[in-house]
Each structure stands twice: as structure tokens, then as C-alpha cells.
Amino acid sequence: MSNTTTTTNIPDRSWTGRGLARERWHGYLFLAPTLLFLAAVIVLPLFHAFWTSFQRIRGLSSTFVGFANYVRVLEDEAFWHSLRVSLGFVSISVVAHVLLGLLLALALNKITFARTALRVLFLTPWMVAAAVGATIWLWLLEPQFGVINYILQSAGIISAPIAWLGTPGTAFAAVTTVEIWRGVPFIMLLTLAGLQTIPAEQYEAAEIDGATTWQKFRHITLPNLKYLLVVASTLDIINVVRHYDIIGIMTGGGPAGATEVLPALLYNTAFRANRFGEAAAIGVLLLSMVLVFAAMYLRITRVGQEDDRR
Amino acid sequence: MNRTSPLGQAGLWITILIAAIVTVFPFYWMLNTALKPQSEVFLSPPAFYSANWSFDAFRTLLIERPFARYFLNSLIVSLGSTLLSVALATLAAYGFTRFHIKGAGALIVFLLFTKMLPETLLIIPYFRLMSELGLINSHISLILAYSSFALPFSVWMLIGFFRSIPLEIDEAAIVDGASRITTLWRVILPLARPGLVAVALFTFLISWNAYVWALVLTTDPSMFVLSVGIANMVGEYRVQWNELMAAAMIAAVPVMVMFAFLERHLVNALTAGAVKG
């Protein structure tokens, strides 16, 4: 967590860092290739997406239709259904990520044996491609030969094999479980780094006062982690609300739209139904939701402000 | 410093054990299935360990299916976007950390913003623009697409590494008569090498792991990358699970190996410098 923030207190000398007076504008030369490239691969496509959202596209021809795509999307029950699915998917996943990530970080922080090895191990689901993770879970959940049905049947929890991805309720539970499995390590890692910044003296003082484990957690750990947990949750919401790969691989949004989160609705509208205008409109609406959380994130962390001061 | 009761210790290790099983079991099952001979894949009850190791699934993937080609495609586009991103990001990070840039804060926010864009929104214009340019089914379209998320990530991470190199080093080099480019190339880059390696590996990994871009921008099976090749097998009428798990291994194992070297840079990479301590 250190690299980006430790070196902002540069002594204010006229020469160093800000460059020689005669080369003041040279800095922009170093930035130019990146900025031009990003203009081409991000800004231009983004404008193109906005433009598409105001067009009706049939094959190669397109006509300007104003806000018709937005009206159509917002009048379509499928969009509101998808929004509700997203809301459920994101809130359950993020709450589970934070609770389990915190629990796991607290546990790892307590142990000294094999800590680094365990940390690497716990991070694997996050590092391996979501598409690959989802594929593995497809096999685990396979109705006839899948190992999860076998284990649950042997343990007497279920009496007959379940087609997990075949019915709406279990399909939603399944994709949410996989998202939780994938996302917990992210919160765990951030929390673990946060835990290590809490001064040991605070705990020592509390122990002298005879505080219980719960009291120490409630009055020292939690207040110290509050900022970090808020930031991490916001980032996690942004990551989960736009995530497509797991659902794309496992269900494609089905059955009966039960797992059709907004990115899945967007993909299906564009690439299955070939309605690019409406899909772009859904995308712009999704983007505006992401931006709300991005704005929250910026307010909390004040990213960028220290760079303006220099 | 933290004394824990025996009961607490037990609870601690039970928590860790359960988490470890949930984390690792899917990967164990991938390995277990990939190494099973065809005849044991559809056994009921399933074999939790089979001594009859078989590499038939891998052989089928590499000989009868175009997985060597998928692997090569993944490698080309991931390497391409990594080289492009790290080269541009090195210049940009040097500019950010060594010069007074008006509106640097706004640019940093812009970089952050690009990392938060929904990729499903961007694939629509990418698909349409690349179709018009005739670049569907080309490596270059994927390299450009991957660089759109790899470059902001690289810049963000490299700024962190470059800031940790004292500016006095640049000053000394320039006083000795070196130009800015020479300073960057001869003095700063060697110092930043561990950081550069970490950034390059992470950039490679996020490109390697990408899925939906290649799903949309490739239609010709000979241009599929690994993730799309795997997803394509999922859609087959009768899924050969041992082959599918072997394919998952081909995609996952390079990630796991690289990742073991990168672990200590992780917080910085996952948040790309976004969270302050």
C-alpha cells in the first residue's frame, strides 16, 4: 500500500522533480504517446458507444432516433428485472466478500505458521481467469456426475441430484457462490494489509485494561479498518456490478433470466438479439451506475488531489 | 503479542482449514479430472483420487483440437499488449513523476476512470469499429483492446514505482550532461527493473485472463484465445470433462506459477495504487 503515497513530500527545490525551467513543457512529451493512445482506444470507443445509443442499427445502416432506445429500454420489464437481479447479485456478493474477507484476514493475521504460503493459496481464485474458475465450477455442479451433488447426497443433505443451473433459484445461488469464491481474496488481501498498519500499542494498552477479544475487535480493529473497508467495498461494488465472465460462462443469463445481470442483458441484447442501439443504451445506464460509485470512491480517497497540489 | 486461548487457536485453524478446502478443492478437482482416463471420468461415485494417471486429455487437446494454436494466440496478444503498455507507461510514468504537469490530478482521475469502465459497454464500439476496419479475427484488434485496460493499469502501477526513486538521481545524471531520455534509459530503468518486471507480469496476466473481448472480436476458431476456446468446449453437445479440465489447466497453471513470484507486489497490483495506507 506504500509505493504511491510515501514520496509526495519532495523538498520544494526549484530544480528537482519539477524539471529545469527551460524544459517545463517536456513532461507533456513523455505523456503524449499514452494520452494519444488512450484517446484512440478508450475515449473514441466510448463516444462511439454513446453515439450508438442514439441510433437504430439495421445491418450496416443506422438512423438517428434520439432517446428512443433509452425509452424502449426503460419501458421494457426485462431491464427492471435485470436491474433487480444485479442488485441482488451485487449486494449478496459484496456483503459476503467483506464479511468472509475480514474473517479470513483476521485469522491469517493471528497465525505465524505458513502465513505467506496460505496467503498465496487463498488468493488463487482471484488470480486465475474468472472464465476458467467458472468452467471448473460447471463441472463441480454438473447434475449427473458432478462431485457436489455426490457429496451432498452422501451426506444426506439432498435426496436426489439437483440440476443446479436448471432452475432459477439454484442457478442464481450457484453463480453468486462462484462470485463469492472468486472475490473474497481481494477483500482479504486489502484487509490484511490494513490490519498490519494498526499500532500494536493500542492492543497492548487494551490488554492491560483487561479488554476481551471482542472488545479489542470492536473498539480497536474495527475503527482502524473502517476507512479501508469502506474503500474496499466501494471498489468491490464497482468490480462486481460490471462483471460478466462468470455468468457469461455458467448460464448466459438464464434460466428464464434468473441470472441476467445488467452486463449479461447488455451482451445478450447486442450479440444475441443484434440490437446494438438498445444494448449501448443499457451500457450507458450501467456506466452511470458505476460512475455513482466511482464518484463516492473519489470523494472518500481524494485520489488526484495531492497531484494537483504539487 | 496476541495471546490466544487453546479454544481460540482451534477456532482459528478450523476457519483457515475450511477456507483452504473451499479455495483449493475446485483446483484439485480440475487436476484430478484432467489426469483421469476417459473411462473413469463418468464413474459414479466419482474417484477422489485415481492412480491411473493419463495424459490422454492433454494429447487430444494438443493433437486433435487446436489448443496449441489457442495457447499461441493467447501468448501473442498478451505479450503484444504487455510490450505496448509497458513501453508507453514507462514514458508516461516518468513524465508524471519528474515534471510539473498541469492537471496531473485530473489525468490520474481519468486513468482511474478508465479502469472502472464496464467492458461489456466497450465491446460494442470495439466490435463495430473493428468490423468496419476489417480487423475482426486479427491479433492486432485484441492487442489494442487489451491495451485499453492494460495501459491505464501499467501507468498507475509504474507511477508508484517511479515515485520511490529519488529525484536527486535524475539531477545527478543531468548535471553530468545526460539528456532526459538517456537518464530514463540508462539510470532510472535499471533502478526500476524489479518494478518494471512486476508491472509487465501483471499486465500479461490480466491480458491472459481476459475473456469477453476475444469472445466478441474473434469468430474464426483458428484465432481463438484459450479462454474462448474453453468456453467454446463448454457449449459442445457432449462435454468431454477431462479434456475441458485439461484445457482449464493449460490456462490456469502459467498464471499460478507467475503469481507465486508476484505475491509481494499484490496489494499494489490488485488495487493498482488506488487504496492508501
Side-chain angles (χ1 to χ4, degrees):
Chain A
M1 333 239 347
S2 55
N3 279 325
T4 53
T5 53
T6 47
T7 52
T8 47
N9 297 325
I10 295 147
D12 188 19
R13 283 196 270 151
S14 55
W15 195 92
T16 50
R18 309 303 122 222
L20 297 160
R22 63 180 160 78
E23 52 160 31
R24 280 214 171 271
W25 56 275
H26 288 197
Y28 300 99
L29 290 182
F30 283 92
L31 292 185
T34 291
L35 294 181
L36 289 175
F37 189 80
L38 288 180
V41 298
I42 288 181
V43 180
L44 173 76
L46 208 50
F47 273 107
H48 195 276
F50 273 100
W51 180 81
T52 305
S53 75
F54 295 111
Q55 305 281 324
R56 171 161 302 143
I57 289 156
R58 286 208 179 90
L60 292 174
S61 71
S62 54
T63 40
F64 183 81
V65 292
F67 284 94
N69 288 323
Y70 290 90
V71 172
R72 197 189 279 243
V73 165
L74 292 172
E75 279 178 350
D76 190 350
E77 170 53 27
F79 173 78
W80 299 101
H81 170 78
S82 179
L83 187 65
R84 285 192 295 274
V85 175
S86 265
L87 201 66
F89 180 69
V90 174
S91 46
I92 295 172
S93 301
V94 171
V95 168
H97 288 163
V98 172
L99 291 180
L100 296 174
L102 178 63
L103 180 72
L104 209 49
L106 288 170
L108 272 187
N109 198 44
K110 282 258 184 187
I111 62 169
T112 45
F113 172 74
R115 194 184 191 163
T116 309
L118 282 170
R119 195 171 56 180
V120 173
L121 186 122
F122 284 142
L123 282 160
T124 325
W126 178 266
M127 288 312 297
V128 168
V132 171
T135 309
I136 300 171
W137 277 90
L138 271 183
W139 172 222
L140 299 177
L141 292 167
E142 209 269 340
Q144 221 182 330
F145 304 102
V147 69
I148 288 181
N149 269 340
Y150 170 74
I151 293 173
L152 291 179
Q153 268 182 293
S154 312
I157 297 171
I158 56 173
S159 52
I162 293 179
W164 297 99
L165 300 175
T167 55
T170 51
F172 181 81
V175 295
T176 310
T177 304
V178 178
E179 174 55 50
I180 293 169
W181 173 79
R182 190 186 78 99
V184 166
F186 173 68
I187 303 286
M188 180 205 77
L189 189 75
L190 295 185
T191 315
L192 200 55
L195 282 172
Q196 278 150 13
T197 63
I198 302 177
E201 299 85 57
Q202 294 189 10
Y203 290 106
E204 284 158 16
E207 268 169 38
I208 293 168
D209 293 342
T212 62
T213 308
W214 168 251
Q215 284 171 327
K216 281 187 280 181
F217 174 73
R218 174 72 188 76
H219 297 288
I220 300 173
T221 314
L222 220 45
N224 274 300
L225 285 183
K226 198 178 128 202
Y227 170 81
L228 182 86
L229 286 177
V230 172
V231 172
S233 318
T234 315
L235 270 182
D236 198 42
I237 292 171
I238 294 170
N239 284 336
V240 178
V241 78
R242 65 197 174 120
H243 183 75
Y244 171 75
D245 296 3
I246 289 177
I247 287 173
I249 295 259
M250 291 183 71
T251 63
T259 59
E260 196 166 42
V261 291
L262 287 170
L265 178 70
L266 196 171
Y267 181 89
N268 293 340
T269 307
F271 297 101
R272 297 216 171 127
N274 271 314
R275 299 204 304 263
F276 283 97
E278 280 171 58
I282 297 168
V284 171
L285 294 170
L286 174 62
L287 174 65
S288 53
M289 285 171 225
V290 170
L291 286 182
V292 171
F293 290 101
M296 265 176 61
Y297 177 83
L298 286 179
R299 267 196 79 106
I300 303 166
T301 59
R302 297 194 204 101
V303 168
Q305 294 192 6
E306 69 188 41
D307 303 278
D308 275 339
R309 258 186 278 119
R310 289 187 289 127
Chain B
M1 123 201 108
N2 285 320
R3 281 173 302 276
T4 318
S5 64
L7 195 69
Q9 278 287 338
L12 199 62
W13 282 102
I14 289 170
T15 308
I16 289 175
L17 187 69
I18 292 173
I21 291 171
V22 174
T23 303
V24 173
F25 183 75
F27 295 113
Y28 170 71
W29 206 247
M30 165 182 77
L31 178 71
N32 182 35
T33 308
L35 293 177
K36 276 179 187 174
Q38 187 73 39
S39 56
E40 286 185 25
V41 176
F42 295 108
L43 279 186
S44 186
F48 279 73
Y49 176 78
S50 166
N52 305 325
W53 284 18
S54 154
F55 292 92
D56 288 350
F58 290 95
R59 204 168 297 132
T60 312
L61 286 182
L62 296 178
I63 295 168
E64 287 169 31
R65 292 177 182 271
F67 262 77
R69 177 75 204 201
Y70 299 164
F71 188 91
L72 189 67
N73 287 336
S74 277
L75 201 63
I76 292 171
V77 293
S78 304
L79 274 179
S81 60
T82 302
L83 286 177
L84 185 62
S85 301
V86 173
L88 295 181
T90 303
L91 292 173
Y94 189 79
F96 265 120
T97 53
R98 264 57 190 174
F99 294 91
H100 179 79
I101 303 288
K102 275 209 182 86
L107 287 175
I108 299 265
V109 170
F110 170 70
L111 286 178
L112 183 70
F113 164 75
T114 59
K115 296 199 305 136
M116 293 177 171
L117 290 172
E119 54 186 5
T120 42
L121 170 63
L122 283 177
I123 55 174
I124 293 174
Y126 264 91
F127 175 73
R128 292 174 49 78
L129 290 169
M130 294 301 176
S131 301
E132 275 173 41
L133 294 170
L135 289 175
I136 298 286
N137 292 320
S138 70
H139 289 134
I140 188 73
S141 69
L142 288 182
I143 291 175
L144 290 175
Y146 288 5
S147 300
S148 76
F149 57 83
L151 176 59
F153 175 87
S154 311
V155 174
W156 194 292
M157 251 186 108
L158 269 180
I159 286 178
F161 284 113
F162 276 24
R163 274 191 185 153
S164 64
I165 299 172
L167 299 165
E168 284 75 10
I169 292 174
D170 300 63
E171 187 180 277
I174 288 172
V175 168
D176 286 346
S179 70
R180 279 289 183 181
I181 290 289
T182 316
T183 309
L184 171 61
W185 187 251
R186 290 272 170 78
V187 183
I188 302 301
L189 281 191
L191 286 171
R193 188 176 295 154
L196 276 175
V197 171
V199 174
L201 285 176
F202 270 115
T203 311
F204 184 87
L205 284 191
I206 55 175
S207 301
W208 183 267
N209 282 348
Y211 165 61
V212 71
W213 302 89
L215 179 67
V216 165
L217 295 177
T218 56
T219 52
D220 174 359
S222 72
M223 291 305 294
F224 285 176
V225 296
L226 281 172
S227 57
V228 178
I230 288 170
N232 204 41
M233 280 172 77
V234 170
E236 284 175 7
Y237 176 65
R238 186 159 159 58
V239 180
Q240 301 299 330
W241 287 103
N242 57 337
E243 291 172 23
L244 193 49
M245 290 302 104
M249 278 190 70
I250 293 176
V253 167
V255 176
M256 293 173 176
V257 171
M258 271 192 239
F259 169 55
F261 292 103
L262 284 169
E263 204 270 338
R264 65 199 176 89
H265 294 293
L266 252 182
V267 177
N268 207 6
L270 287 189
T271 66
V275 174
K276 302 186 218 180

